[in-house]
C-alpha cells in the first residue's frame, strides 16, 4: 500500500462550494455486489495468502499499546497511533521500541484527542478531533506548528491542502448541509464540501475496528471511504473527489431523503456503514465489513466482479488467528497485515501443539506483551491467469 499523494499547482479555488451527490455520476464505474447473507469460503485461506513475516512490538512500560488505531511504515520505522493513550509509539523496522510522541494537554503544541496521523516530507501530522486542529511535529516529536481546522475523523495532507473525512459530523447542528468530506486550502480555509448524507444520521457514533482508516492508500491512488456510502472516491487534483468504485453490501440503503423512522429501521436491520481494511493487489481487491449482528466478514474479488471469498476468517494454516487491519507503507507491495495478541498465541499453542509457529512464539512472548504484526503475502488464485 503506497503512501503517496499526487501533488500539483497551488490551490486557486478560494470560495466555498458544494455538490450534492449520492450515486456515482459515471455508470461505467466498477460495481461489486456483495450478498451480505451468503458465505463463499470454498477457497482455503492458505491458498490465497502465505505467512511471510512476524514482527513483535517490543513491550516496555512506555511502549505498551492499548489499541492500534493506525499503523504506518516510514523511512524504515513503524509509527503506531494509540488513540486511547493519546500518543504515537515509534519502533524500528524489527519492532524494537524507540520513543513515544505524547503531547496531550490544552496548551500550544498539545492535543485533546488523536484520531489520525500522516507522515509526509519528514513531518508527523496529528489530527486532534475534539480540539479541532492539526499539529505538526518533527519525526523526533518536536512541535513545529498547528492550525485550527474543522472537527474531522481523518485527513490526507496534499501539496494543495488538506482533505478531511468528517464522518457523520456533530450533533450540534453546526454542519449544514450534512456532508462527510471537506477540502481545505493550505491556510486552513474551506474550499468546498462534498458527499451528502441523510440529516438523521448526523452525530451518530460508529464503533470502528482496530486499524480502521477513513482514507486508504493504494498504488497511485488515495481513496476516501465515508459512512453509509457505497462508493469509494479517489482524491484528485485540488482535492476534488471522483467515484472510483461502488461496493454494495447487501440490499439495504439509506437514502438522502429517507425519514427518521426509516433511517432507524434500516440501521436496526443492519445496513453496513462502510468497508474497511481495504487492499488492492493488481486486479484484486480485499476488504472486510460488518453487517447487522454477523461476525466480521472478508471479501476477495477480482476486477471482473467475481467474488472469490466472502466469509469470516478463523485460523490460518499455522493456527494463527486472522485479524486484518490496514496500514500505510512505502513502497507498495502485496502484503496484508494481521494482528495477533500474545494471549491468543499462548492459548492456541496449548490447543494446537502441532503448530511449530505457535510453539516458537509461545516461547518468546508473555501474555501481556504488545501484539505481533503478522504479514501475509497475497498469491493470486492459480485458476486466474493474472499472475
Amino acid at each position: 500500500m503506497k503512501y503517496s499523494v499526487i501533488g500539483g499547482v497551488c490551490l486557486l479555488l478560494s470560495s466555498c462550494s458544494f455538490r450534492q451527490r449520492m450515486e456515482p455520476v459515471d455508470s461505467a464505474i466498477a460495481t461489486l455486489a456483495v450478498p451480505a447473507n451468503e458465505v463463499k469460503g470454498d477457497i482455503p485461506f492458505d491458498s490465497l495468502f502465505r505467512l511471510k513475516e512476524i514482527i513483535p512490538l517490543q513491550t516496555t512500560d512506555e511502549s505498551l499499546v492499548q489499541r492500534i488505531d493506525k499503523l504506518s511504515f516510514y523511512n524504515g520505522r513503524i509509527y503506531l497511533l494509540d488513540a486511547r493513550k493519546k500518543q504515537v509509539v515509534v519502533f524500528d523496522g524489527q519492532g524494537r521500541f524507540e520513543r513515544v510522541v505524547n503531547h496531550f494537554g490544552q496548551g500550544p503544541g498539545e492535543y485533546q484527542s488523536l484520531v489520525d496521523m500522516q507522515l509526509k516530507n519528514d513531518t508527523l501530522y496529528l489530527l486532534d478531533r475534539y480540539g479541532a486542529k492539526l499539529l505538526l511535529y518533527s519525526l523526533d516529536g518536536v512541535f513545529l506548528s498547528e492550525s485550527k481546522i474543522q472537527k474531522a475523523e481523518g485527513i490526507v495532507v496534499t501539496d494543495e491542502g488538506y482533505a478531511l473525512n468528517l464522518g457523520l459530523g456533530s450533533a450540534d447542528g453546526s454542519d449544514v448541509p450534512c456532508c462527510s468530506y471537506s477540502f481545505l486550502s493550505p491556510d486552513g480555509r474551506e474550499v468546498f464540501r462534498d458527499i451528502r448524507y441523510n440529516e438523521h444520521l448526523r452525530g451518530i457514533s460508529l464503533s470502528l475496528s482496530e486499524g480502521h482508516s477513513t482514507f486508504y492508500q493504494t498504488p497511485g491512488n488515495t481513496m476516501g471511504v465515508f459512512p453509509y456510502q457505497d462508493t469509494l472516491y479517489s482524491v484528485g487534483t485540488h482535492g476534488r473527489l471522483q467515484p472510483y468504485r461502488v461496493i454494495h453490501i447487501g440490499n439495504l440503503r439509506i437514502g438522502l431523503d429517507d425519514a427518521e423512522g426509516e433511517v432507524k429501521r434500516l440501521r436496526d436491520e443492519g445496513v453496513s456503514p462502510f468497508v474497511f481494511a481495504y487492499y488492492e493487489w493488481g486486479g484484486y481487491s480485499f476488504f472486510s465489513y460488518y453487517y447487522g449482528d454477523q461476525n466480521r466478514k472478508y471479501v476477495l474479488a477480482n476486477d471482473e466482479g467475481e467474488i472469490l471469498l466472502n466469509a469470516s476468517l478463523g485460523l490460518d494454516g499455522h493456527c494463527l488467528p486472522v485479524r486484518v487491519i490496514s496500514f500505510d507503507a512505502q513502497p507498495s507491495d502485496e502484503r496484508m497485515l494481521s494482528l495477533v495478541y500474545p494471549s491468543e498465541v499462548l492459548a492456541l499453542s496449548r490447543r494446537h501443539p502441532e503448530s511449530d509457529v505457535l510453539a516458537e512464539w509461545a516461547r518468546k512472548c508473555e501474555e501481556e506483551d504488545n501484539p505481533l504484526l503478522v504479514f501475509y503475502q497475497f498469491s493470486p488464485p492459480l485458476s486466474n491467469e493474472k499472475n
Side-chain angles (χ1 to χ4, degrees), residues 41-290:
D42 51 337
I43 301 179
F45 176 82
D46 283 40
S47 71
L48 299 171
F49 300 94
R50 64 179 183 271
L51 182 63
K52 182 175 182 180
E53 182 182 17
I54 298 179
I55 299 178
L57 298 177
Q58 182 183 1
T59 307
T60 68
D61 290 341
E62 278 190 284
S63 68
L64 186 63
V65 174
Q66 288 190 8
R67 173 185 164 102
I68 296 179
D69 292 279
K70 187 167 186 177
L71 192 147
S72 298
F73 286 78
Y74 187 81
N75 286 351
R77 288 179 171 80
I78 301 168
Y79 291 78
L80 188 155
L81 174 66
D82 185 340
R84 290 182 180 175
K85 296 184 75 172
K86 300 179 177 63
Q87 63 185 22
V88 174
V89 188
V90 184
F91 303 87
D92 69 13
Q94 287 71 51
R96 291 184 290 264
F97 171 64
E98 291 194 350
R99 60 184 174 275
V100 166
V101 179
N102 187 324
H103 295 281
F104 176 65
Q106 299 186 34
E110 297 177 333
Y111 48 75
Q112 299 177 42
S113 66
L114 288 181
V115 292
D116 201 2
M117 71 174 176
Q118 185 172 359
L119 291 134
K120 183 180 176 68
N121 298 330
D122 290 340
T123 302
L124 172 64
Y125 295 81
L126 295 183
L127 180 62
D128 177 3
R129 185 188 192 286
Y130 297 126
K133 57 185 177 181
L134 179 66
L135 302 102
L136 282 65
Y137 304 88
S138 70
L139 295 183
D140 293 328
V142 177
F143 173 65
L144 301 175
S145 64
E146 66 179 54
S147 302
K148 293 295 292 184
I149 60 173
Q150 298 157 276
K151 291 183 178 180
E153 302 287 345
I155 189 169
V156 171
V157 179
T158 79
D159 294 335
E160 302 164 311
Y162 307 116
L164 297 180
N165 193 318
L166 307 178
L168 295 174
S170 59
D172 59 8
S174 61
D175 292 333
V176 180
C178 299
C179 294
S180 289
Y181 180 79
S182 176
F183 190 76
L184 310 182
S185 63
D187 61 4
R189 292 177 295 108
E190 184 176 69
V191 180
F192 61 87
R193 291 191 180 191
D194 205 344
I195 313 300
R196 284 287 305 274
Y197 64 84
N198 188 296
E199 64 177 351
H200 300 299
L201 292 171
R202 191 206 310 267
I204 290 175
S205 178
L206 298 173
S207 178
L208 306 179
S209 295
E210 279 187 289
H212 167 77
S213 183
T214 56
F215 291 99
Y216 290 101
Q217 315 289 338
T218 61
N221 195 17
T222 300
M223 289 181 297
V225 182
F226 305 97
Y228 295 102
Q229 301 283 341
D230 291 335
T231 305
L232 280 65
Y233 293 89
S234 292
V235 180
T237 305
H238 304 313
R240 293 291 180 181
L241 296 180
Q242 294 296 326
Y244 177 77
R245 191 178 191 190
V246 179
I247 299 178
H248 290 311
I249 307 292
N251 298 315
L252 302 178
R253 310 278 182 273
I254 294 178
L256 184 60
D257 300 317
D258 285 347
E260 184 175 8
E262 178 68 0
V263 171
K264 183 180 185 305
R265 183 189 72 81
L266 290 170
R267 292 186 65 240
D268 290 343
E269 286 289 323
V271 58
S272 183
F274 40 62
V275 302
F276 53 96
Y278 186 90
Y279 289 82
E280 282 187 359
W281 303 295
Y284 295 88
S285 59
F286 180 86
F287 57 87
S288 62
Y289 68 93
Y290 287 100

Side-chain angles (χ1 to χ4, degrees), residues 57-61 63-66 85 340-346 362 364-372:
L57 298 177
Q58 182 183 1
T59 307
T60 68
D61 290 341
S63 68
L64 186 63
V65 174
Q66 288 190 8
K85 296 184 75 172
V340 176
Y341 289 88
S343 57
E344 297 172 309
V345 171
L346 295 171
K364 294 179 178 180
C365 60
E366 298 181 6
E367 187 167 346
E368 300 301 322
D369 282 353
N370 278 329
L372 305 176

Side-chain angles (χ1 to χ4, degrees), residues 6 25 153 155 324:
I6 299 175
V25 295
E153 302 287 345
I155 189 169
V324 178

